[in-house]
């Protein structure tokens, strides 16, 4: 077997207790590009998790066998919990302009969630072959007023994809967006071997087709990494109300021109507010503000019960937080518990007699 004392690389996939690590640098032509690794017990003891995007050190790797053990996780520059990924620096939001129709409220919600990560945000709109040039121009102008430059593409006809390539090159990007907009087609275009690599990893782990894959990083042909993002497809707004203004470019622009009278202004009814006004997404801001206020109020009432809240979508498409039902009161009693209660009841009756 071929061994080296130590090497390093990036975790590109996590499945069960195994970590697929892309080695960097690869100095030897006979050295594999990937190792399937476990985590040293001491990392588990100190509570050090290993997640996709982590740069790690591998002790005594077995290059011939393609195996290794992660001994150290290097400091992260960024970390997201949903999706769980480290060291990303860019989010690419993908929407369709038709089939399904582009919904401004849904798009705005994704944008606010993406802005809250502090990563750079890009917008891509697919299926431009289904709308007219005039409709596309109207959307471009509308989004420009929101504060975003957008790339309009047709993955089916491979139109304008070179501009999208420029946005992704040299970055670790997270791909996000609702279902049915062409994210899978986009991944297949940039990374045609991506599904093949996933199947190979699953085979090594002796898992079937239904192995859960949370996040996986793929190498882009022109440099950079791309991650699909299960868990970002229905974004929540778990943020502090005072921070919400930071996630709207329109508000940032207005506050750069002047300041509100009150430092804690929420831009609703407060006097001398420079944000309140006739701009398109102001209604979006007010609705999202209600959500964040309700969420913070629920947390204050039950400070240790954040996990007891769930985000529920109403019939109108509006979303709000509400408490989860406790499962304890509906839990069926065990036979042992029932038997003990009957035994206690029997003994108490004997004592009374």
């Amino acid at each position: 077997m071929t061994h080296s004392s130590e090497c390093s690389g990036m975790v590109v996939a996590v499945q069960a207790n195994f970590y697929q690590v892309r080695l960097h640098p690869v100095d030897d032509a006979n050295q594999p590009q990937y190792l399937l690794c476990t985590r040293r017990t001491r990392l588990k003891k100190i509570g050090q998790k290993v997640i996709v995007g982590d740069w790690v050190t591998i002790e005594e790797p077995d290059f011939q066998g393609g195996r290794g053990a992660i001994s150290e996780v290097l400091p992260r520059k960024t970390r997201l919990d949903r999706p769980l990924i480290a060291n990303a620096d860019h989010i690419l939001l993908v929407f369709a302009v038709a089939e399904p129709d582009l919904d401004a409220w849904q798009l705005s919600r994704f944008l606010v969630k993406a802005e809250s990560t502090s990563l750079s945000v890009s917008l891509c709109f697919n299926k431009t072959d289904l709308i007219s040039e005039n409709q596309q121009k109207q959307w471009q102008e509308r989004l420009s007023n929101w504060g975003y430059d957008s790339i309009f593409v047709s993955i089916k006809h491979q139109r304008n994809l070179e501009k999208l390539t420029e946005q992704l090159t040299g970055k670790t990007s997270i791909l996000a967006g609702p279902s049915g907009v062409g994210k899978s087609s986009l991944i297949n275009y940039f990374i045609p071997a991506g599904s093949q690599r996933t199947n190979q990893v699953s085979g090594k782990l002796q898992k079937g087709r239904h192995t859960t894959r949370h996040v996986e990083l793929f190498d882009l042909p022109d440099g950079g990494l791309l991650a699909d993002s299960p868990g970002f497809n229905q974004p929540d707004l778990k943020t502090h109300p005072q921070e919400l203004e930071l996630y709207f470019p329109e508000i940032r622009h207005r506050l750069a021109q002047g300041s509100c009278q009150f430092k804690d202004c929420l831009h609703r009814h407060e006097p001398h507010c420079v944000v309140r006004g006739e701009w398109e997404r102001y209604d979006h801001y007010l609705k999202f503000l209600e959500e964040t206020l309700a969420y913070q109020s629920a947390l204050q009432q039950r400070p240790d019960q954040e996990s007891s809240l769930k985000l529920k979508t109403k019939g109108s498409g509006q979303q709000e937080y509400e408490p989860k039902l406790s499962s304890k009161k509906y839990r069926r009693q065990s036979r042992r518990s029932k038997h003990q209660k009957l035994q206690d009841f029997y003994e108490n009756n004997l004592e009374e007699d």
Side-chain angles (χ1 to χ4, degrees):
M1 292 190 296
T2 303
H3 291 276
S4 176
S5 60
E6 192 174 89
C7 66
S8 61
M10 173 183 279
V11 178
V12 295
V14 177
Q15 293 176 320
N17 294 320
F18 292 88
Y19 307 89
Q20 187 81 344
V21 179
R22 187 194 65 172
L23 301 182
H24 181 80
V26 178
D27 300 322
D28 188 345
N30 296 322
Q31 182 177 324
Q33 188 176 2
Y34 297 94
L35 288 182
L36 190 62
C37 299
T38 56
R39 178 180 53 160
R40 288 296 189 198
T41 305
R42 63 175 176 270
L43 293 182
K44 184 176 181 180
K45 287 181 178 179
I46 64 175
Q48 175 65 68
K49 291 186 177 180
V50 181
I51 63 178
V52 170
D54 273 333
W55 284 95
V56 297
T57 300
I58 302 169
E59 286 183 344
E60 299 183 354
D62 176 7
F63 295 137
Q64 185 175 345
R67 299 280 179 160
I70 296 171
S71 60
E72 181 184 10
V73 177
L74 303 182
R76 299 162 178 156
K77 63 178 183 179
T78 62
R79 170 183 163 140
L80 297 184
D81 291 324
R82 193 169 181 257
L84 187 58
I85 185 171
N87 299 314
D89 46 28
H90 176 232
I91 292 178
L92 176 66
L93 291 181
V94 180
F95 275 73
V97 291
E99 297 182 6
D101 292 336
L102 184 53
D103 179 78
W105 279 88
Q106 185 186 45
L107 173 57
S108 190
R109 189 178 191 89
F110 269 83
L111 283 169
V112 169
K113 180 62 178 180
E115 291 274 4
S116 71
T117 65
S118 300
L119 307 183
S120 63
V121 181
S122 295
L123 275 175
C124 172
F125 296 93
N126 185 29
K127 304 185 182 181
T128 55
D129 52 291
L130 300 179
I131 63 172
S132 66
E133 290 186 8
N134 186 51
Q135 288 175 308
Q136 179 178 320
K137 184 178 179 181
Q138 289 176 352
W139 268 111
Q140 284 177 312
E141 292 176 351
R142 185 175 179 182
L143 292 165
S144 179
N145 291 331
W146 290 15
Y148 295 97
D149 294 326
S150 307
I151 301 173
F152 286 77
V153 305
S154 172
I155 300 173
K156 181 178 180 180
H157 298 284
Q158 297 190 8
R159 295 177 187 167
N160 217 24
L161 292 177
E162 65 281 355
K163 290 187 177 180
L164 191 55
T165 301
E166 293 175 4
Q167 285 285 339
L168 298 174
T169 300
K171 302 174 182 176
T172 299
S173 302
I174 298 172
L175 186 66
S179 301
V181 299
K183 289 181 295 177
S184 297
S185 299
L186 187 62
I187 291 175
N188 291 335
Y189 171 79
F190 282 112
I191 317 148
S195 58
Q196 180 182 356
R197 194 190 82 187
T198 302
N199 292 336
Q200 289 174 347
V201 175
S202 297
K204 288 182 179 179
L205 300 179
Q206 299 180 345
K207 299 291 183 180
R209 291 183 179 180
H210 302 289
T211 300
T212 301
R213 178 177 60 83
H214 297 287
V215 186
E216 187 168 355
L217 282 169
F218 296 97
D219 290 292
L220 293 169
D222 295 327
L225 295 163
L226 183 64
D228 194 7
S229 58
F232 202 97
N233 296 338
Q234 294 184 354
D236 54 49
L237 297 180
K238 293 183 179 180
T239 185
H240 194 280
Q242 291 289 347
E243 295 176 350
L244 188 61
E245 65 181 31
L246 303 175
Y247 311 144
F248 283 81
E250 308 97 306
I251 297 181
R252 297 199 300 263
H253 175 73
R254 282 164 171 77
L255 291 175
Q257 304 299 316
S259 58
C260 297
Q261 180 177 352
F262 301 102
K263 290 184 178 180
D264 59 350
C265 183
L266 291 178
H267 318 301
R268 294 182 297 178
H269 314 296
E270 298 87 345
H272 305 293
C273 172
V274 300
V275 170
R276 187 175 60 248
E278 299 297 324
W279 48 282
E280 182 183 357
R281 289 208 298 165
Y282 181 57
D283 287 342
H284 296 194
Y285 167 77
L286 292 178
K287 175 56 184 174
F288 297 159
L289 181 63
E290 289 180 12
E291 284 188 34
T292 60
L293 287 170
Y295 178 70
Q296 288 298 319
S297 176
L299 287 184
Q300 290 174 1
Q301 293 175 12
R302 304 178 69 178
D304 297 325
Q305 300 293 329
E306 180 177 351
S307 61
S308 68
L309 299 177
K310 64 179 178 180
L311 185 65
K312 186 170 183 180
T313 302
K314 300 295 185 180
S316 61
Q318 295 182 346
Q319 296 178 304
E320 60 183 38
Y321 291 98
E322 61 180 39
K324 294 179 183 177
L325 290 175
S326 173
S327 60
K328 290 184 178 180
K329 64 176 67 177
Y330 303 106
R331 190 174 296 164
R332 182 181 298 176
Q333 280 188 337
S334 66
R335 291 182 179 179
R336 182 176 181 180
S337 177
K338 289 180 178 180
H339 179 76
Q340 183 64 47
K341 287 184 177 181
L342 287 173
Q343 183 69 21
D344 292 344
F345 177 76
Y346 177 73
E347 291 176 355
N348 289 336
N349 284 338
L350 285 178
E351 291 176 0
E352 290 177 1
D353 294 340

